[in-house]
Amino acid sequence: MRTVIYCLLFVAVFDPVDQTHLKAPLFAAVWALFAVDLVTSRSGRYQAPANLYLFITVFVVLLPAAGMLVYLVRDGSMADYEGFKYWKSYLFLTLSIPLVVKRIDVIRPLSIILTMLSIATMVLYVLAVTNDLIREALAAFADVYVIFSVSDRTYGPFSYSSVYFHGTPMIVLAIGYFCYQWLNSTGRARIWNLLLLGTNVSGMILSGTRNNMLVASLTPLVIIGWYRGNKTRAALVTVMLMAIVVGFGSGLFQEMLNPDEYSNATKLGHVHDYGILFGDWKTLLFGQGLGASFFSTAWGTRVTLTEVTYLEVIRNYGLLLAPVLFLLILYPLRVLLNPDERESHYLFLAYAAYLGICTGNPLLLSSSGMLVLAVVLVQTFRERSCTAQPIPGLFVSGNVAEATG
């Protein structure tokens, strides 16, 4: 089962848009193997905490069902309805159940896979900026298979090239992991962890989006400050303030925040559209329903999803249900208040950074976003299941062997 889970993580990282059509079969295979394991394993399983089942029931079943019901009541048309497509992404959150029950820790293997993505980004970036023919071939490949994109970005007098894989925002988890490992290792291992940290920071920066570049630069500083003393924190704050001064002094930040810049103008157009939609009290209170479409003035067509994630959640669920979803999304961050879980705080700091990226990227409720949340949930509920005793398979008698974890 572990091998299939790792394959699913690899596909989710490198092919989040599912061009290979492997995500669904691998997802089904994980659950099939888990079901077999439940009845045949001699290594046993651990009882997942009831709160995990409650969390998943509300997130994966009740909220989407309510969103679909609202859509049926308010619209009723099933022609080209995309609600089931979005609900399918929610199902990936259920992977947290086999991960908790079988004590499978995927943080390190996921970080290694994300490091491979960073290396791929760096290699393609070097090829793209050093050879125009290769750049054209890469761009043509990207247009056909939509796995990554090669582009140039310009902010006033500042221009740069970028190679963007759709799974790149997930690299922040690897940055958090290897930063923590670097802080808590010595000798040769410390050097390797620093190199892996630098690789992931570089890969995320070279992806070129403003959110990715900002998060890749700040996340290591925040984690270092979290685990180190006041002097280190003061030094890091000074460095960040100096960077802000240089950014505004050079005019770079002003250009990045320019409302006339294409990406900013598009998002502001979406915000304007949401303002009009929320002028209808029924939409504001109940939402339009999961999978409902609206006309985007920025894109000139009807859409069912935009990059303004959190306003999109309110459009889908309204003020009655959207706070429930927000509460569930933020719930794992409560671990940061628990000093006994300090060794895992890096993961939740990285998760908070991922939520920041999602403010301008429609990742959060995608299958990739659900995988990120599933990994975080495993750590969130670990403390409540750590004293559980292994239970033998349903068709197995005798003593349970030591769980493999």
Side-chain angles (χ1 to χ4, degrees), residues 43-113:
S43 64
R45 66 188 189 278
Y46 287 82
Q47 184 64 45
N51 282 352
L52 174 60
Y53 292 114
L54 177 61
F55 186 105
I56 291 175
T57 299
V58 174
F59 203 117
V60 178
V61 179
L62 298 182
L63 280 175
M68 292 179 187
L69 179 61
V70 169
Y71 174 83
L72 289 174
V73 171
R74 298 205 59 193
D75 188 293
S77 173
M78 298 303 293
D80 300 322
Y81 179 59
E82 297 189 7
F84 293 110
K85 178 184 74 174
Y86 295 124
W87 178 65
K88 184 173 68 174
S89 297
Y90 285 51
L91 293 176
F92 280 79
L93 186 61
T94 62
L95 290 172
S96 57
I97 294 175
L99 294 178
V100 168
V101 170
K102 296 303 296 181
R103 293 288 181 87
I104 300 176
D105 186 356
V106 297
I107 297 175
R108 180 171 180 81
L110 176 59
S111 297
I112 293 173
I113 293 171

Side-chain angles (χ1 to χ4, degrees), residues 14 79 83 106 204 312 317:
F14 279 90
V106 297
M204 201 166 182
E312 180 67 14
Y317 293 105

Side-chain angles (χ1 to χ4, degrees), residues 115-135:
T115 302
M116 296 168 62
L117 181 67
S118 294
I119 293 173
T121 300
M122 295 167 66
V123 170
L124 292 182
Y125 178 84
V126 171
L127 293 174
V129 299
T130 56
N131 190 302
D132 290 338
L133 291 178
I134 294 179
R135 178 189 176 90

